[in-house]
Amino acid sequence: MAVKRALISVSNKEGIIPFAKQLAELGIDIISTGGTKRALEEAGVPVISISDVTGFPEILDGRVKTLHPAIHGGILAVRSDERHQAALEEHGIRPIDLVVVNLYPFQQTIAKPNVTLAEAIENIDIGGPTMVRAAAKNYADVAIVVDPADYPMVIEELKTTGSIQAKTRQQLAAKAFRHTAAYDAMIAEYLTGLTGEEYPETLTVTYTKKQSLRYGENPHQSAAFYAKPLGAAFSIAKAAQLHGKELSYNNINDANAAINLIREFQEPAAAAIKHMNPCGVGVGATLLEAFTKAYEADPVSIFGGIIAVNREVDKETAERMHDIFLEIVIAPSFSDEALAILTKKKNIRLLTLDFAAPDVKEKTLVSVNGGLLVQEADRYTLEDAEWKVVTKREPTEAEREQLRFAWKVVKHVKSNAIVLAKNGMTVGVGAGQMNRVGAANIAIEQAGEQAIGAVLASDAFFPMDDTVEAAAKAGITAIIQPGGSIRDADSIRKADEYGIAMVFTGVRHFKH
């Protein structure tokens, strides 16, 4: 495919001047418009004005300039179709062989603070996507370039072969349709958000590739990490990595679980995560105290774990962390002394994240075979719940404090979930079991003697009183659970029998 004429109209002008100069040196005529035309002319690149091709001026403040048969006929004409060629000749239209277009900066515009609807609307490109789609549709005869990263490849092919190869044109066309699809998805999401529609009849989402991953959950599974272009700032996708090798698929999943849990706490807190479940969580007057509690909660499982803390990592905490094999530490920041200590280990990953970033209302997306489950994220807190004491004995203030702590943690444990807590730390975690008493027995066994005087939190109601029976025999003094079972009365009666204080919240926190 010989390239004789190119149309260039780009919002992102990165690399466009050297690219256009090389096209001109290869004897290719360049058509351009607006700001791109001015930039090329100022750089000394010979340019043909779009108005000279269409015979019509730009109108409506530039809204209409390329929407013309002289442009789209030149792009869409099938070169092997004699009727198409006859039509071009009849109307004096010359073919356009290369289209270099990227779109108005809609994403950058709506990301600006206090952007107005009028500004957003004005940055919805019309002519650009039309040209991109036209060229991509006719990729058998036309090359479409939307990404500055592809300029060197295009120039190299033109120099070495005198054309742009069919396989390259197909790849460029596929990228072009991804480009316009992502652009339209972002506009659709923005405008849908303004209407307040929670679950529209079609769901259009777009994500940008952040990195290729070495493998997925297991070495035989391929994987990649994609980020939402304007997603929440409090996200692993937005974290800055200060040290260590790239994150893996499982690292990212665990890190996401860690930051979601740690954000439940205002006081100094530390959470250790293994396989998306907390193995140890602690709070304290200092970060060192909080981390020590998280470690002592389960010193075996924390090995190779992911740690999230909500305070700057200081020298003392870093020294404690350095004694343990940890995969990742996520924090708002690290002191210089802490960095010097932790970076002695080359494989530990250190990430910083803006813990002050506002919470953003986002949906959670879960893929199933042939479909997608979409729901609101579980942001329901204990402050939103109605605290109802259902037993004869009221929890003491100390028990109330531990119940609040345990409830914040159990929300982030895979169901069926039971958490035992004492003195501002988890002492037993039962996760992902097929029945609730099984989860309780795991947590109680892990806690051992620490279960005596501890509190218990359950993510869902007790279907029968066997969990209360197990808790009482272990020495647990207070329970928090949603309630709502048809056999609640049995559990309340059993709690009263053993003098256990029990609180209902009315809200469950299933996590699958």
Side-chain angles (χ1 to χ4, degrees), residues 328-345:
I328 300 171
V329 179
I330 310 163
S333 57
F334 295 81
S335 72
D336 291 341
E337 296 89 345
L339 276 176
I341 293 165
L342 293 172
T343 53
K344 290 176 182 177
K345 291 184 176 180

Side-chain angles (χ1 to χ4, degrees), residues 455-470:
V455 305
L456 179 152
S458 174
D459 65 331
F461 63 61
F462 299 153
M464 52 191 67
D465 64 6
D466 49 4
T467 301
V468 179
E469 179 82 30

Side-chain angles (χ1 to χ4, degrees), residues 355-430:
F355 277 62
D359 196 15
V360 176
K361 186 179 181 182
E362 287 189 345
K363 300 287 194 301
T364 61
L365 311 179
V366 177
S367 63
V368 296
N369 291 343
L372 192 69
L373 288 170
V374 183
Q375 70 169 350
E376 283 185 83
D378 185 0
R379 291 185 177 80
Y380 206 92
T381 69
L382 196 55
E383 287 68 34
D384 300 316
E386 182 182 349
W387 183 291
K388 182 180 179 183
V389 179
V390 294
T391 48
K392 294 175 181 177
R393 184 172 79 79
E394 293 260 349
T396 67
E397 190 53 45
E399 287 172 331
R400 285 176 180 269
E401 184 179 348
Q402 297 309 306
L403 289 170
R404 292 188 187 97
F405 170 80
W407 186 250
K408 290 177 180 180
V409 177
V410 80
K411 173 182 172 182
H412 297 271
V413 178
K414 294 283 188 177
S415 301
N416 286 314
I418 296 290
V419 167
L420 306 188
K422 186 178 182 180
N423 299 324
M425 61 185 282
T426 56
V427 294
V429 178

Side-chain angles (χ1 to χ4, degrees), residues 416-418 429-446 463 466-467 470:
N416 286 314
I418 296 290
V429 178
Q433 297 306 300
M434 287 64 72
N435 63 75
R436 194 153 302 280
V437 72
N441 287 335
I442 290 171
I444 290 167
E445 182 181 355
Q446 181 189 10
D466 49 4
T467 301

Side-chain angles (χ1 to χ4, degrees), residues 6 8 18-28 30 98 155 158:
I8 303 179
F19 178 63
K21 283 183 176 179
Q22 291 178 87
L23 291 179
E25 289 168 3
L26 291 168
I28 298 170
I30 296 174
L98 173 63
I155 291 296
L158 287 170

Side-chain angles (χ1 to χ4, degrees), residues 19-328:
F19 178 63
K21 283 183 176 179
Q22 291 178 87
L23 291 179
E25 289 168 3
L26 291 168
I28 298 170
D29 293 335
I30 296 174
I31 305 164
S32 193
T33 182
T36 305
K37 175 176 173 288
R38 287 191 298 273
L40 295 179
E41 285 175 333
E42 290 170 3
V45 179
V47 181
I48 301 168
S49 170
I50 200 90
S51 296
D52 291 338
V53 176
T54 63
F56 204 88
E58 296 182 19
I59 62 172
L60 307 181
D61 298 321
R63 283 189 170 197
V64 178
K65 50 196 172 192
T66 60
L67 298 169
H68 193 281
I71 300 300
H72 288 278
I75 295 172
L76 283 164
V78 177
R79 307 302 194 259
S80 62
D81 190 315
E82 292 181 359
R83 294 172 302 165
H84 285 202
Q85 296 309 306
L88 292 186
E89 187 173 347
E90 178 185 353
H91 296 287
I93 298 172
R94 291 181 58 196
I96 296 170
D97 310 302
L98 173 63
V99 175
V100 184
V101 170
N102 51 58
L103 310 177
Y104 291 173
F106 183 80
Q107 177 183 328
Q108 294 90 326
T109 299
I110 62 173
K112 294 189 300 185
N114 304 316
V115 64
T116 66
L117 177 59
E119 288 178 282
I121 294 296
E122 209 52 43
N123 277 277
I124 297 177
D125 205 333
I126 302 300
T130 307
M131 288 189 290
V132 169
R133 289 173 58 82
K137 174 178 179 175
N138 202 27
Y139 73 84
D141 295 314
V142 178
I144 171 65
V145 182
V146 296
D147 186 353
D150 293 324
Y151 295 165
M153 174 190 66
V154 170
I155 291 296
E156 182 63 24
E157 284 203 10
L158 287 170
K159 285 181 176 179
T160 56
T161 69
S163 65
I164 302 173
Q165 302 303 297
K167 183 177 181 181
T168 302
R169 296 197 303 274
Q170 187 178 56
Q171 290 171 339
L172 291 171
K175 179 180 276 193
F177 279 120
R178 294 196 298 270
H179 185 60
T180 55
Y183 192 78
D184 284 340
M186 203 169 304
I187 295 168
E189 183 178 16
Y190 173 75
L191 292 177
T192 300
L194 294 181
T195 69
E197 292 180 78
E198 287 287 328
Y199 300 97
E201 73 288 346
T202 57
L203 182 67
T204 52
V205 294
T206 184
Y207 290 81
T208 303
K209 187 176 178 181
K210 185 174 175 69
Q211 70 182 82
S212 295
L213 301 173
R214 288 172 292 151
Y215 53 83
E217 283 185 282
N218 300 289
H220 59 271
Q221 295 170 271
S222 63
F225 182 28
Y226 288 81
K228 193 173 177 64
L230 294 177
F234 190 72
S235 158
I236 290 302
K238 299 293 177 66
Q241 187 166 347
L242 306 182
H243 177 74
K245 59 187 179 181
E246 284 189 340
L247 301 181
S248 70
Y249 182 99
N250 291 331
N251 289 157
I252 293 166
N253 248 340
D254 285 343
N256 183 65
I259 65 172
N260 285 336
L261 192 161
I262 204 68
R263 207 172 197 195
E264 296 279 351
F265 299 97
Q266 299 302 314
E267 67 270 44
I273 302 292
K274 287 292 288 290
H275 302 290
M276 295 183 68
N277 276 306
C279 59
V281 182
V283 295
T286 66
L287 184 61
L288 177 60
E289 181 185 354
F291 176 74
T292 300
K293 287 180 178 179
Y295 168 73
E296 291 177 351
D298 189 345
V300 174
S301 297
I302 200 173
F303 182 85
I306 279 73
I307 305 297
V309 298
N310 62 358
R311 295 292 191 276
E312 178 175 89
V313 177
D314 53 27
K315 177 177 178 289
E316 292 74 21
T317 306
E319 287 173 338
R320 191 78 176 89
M321 290 176 171
H322 186 66
D323 294 336
I324 309 162
F325 169 56
L326 301 173
E327 286 270 10
I328 300 171

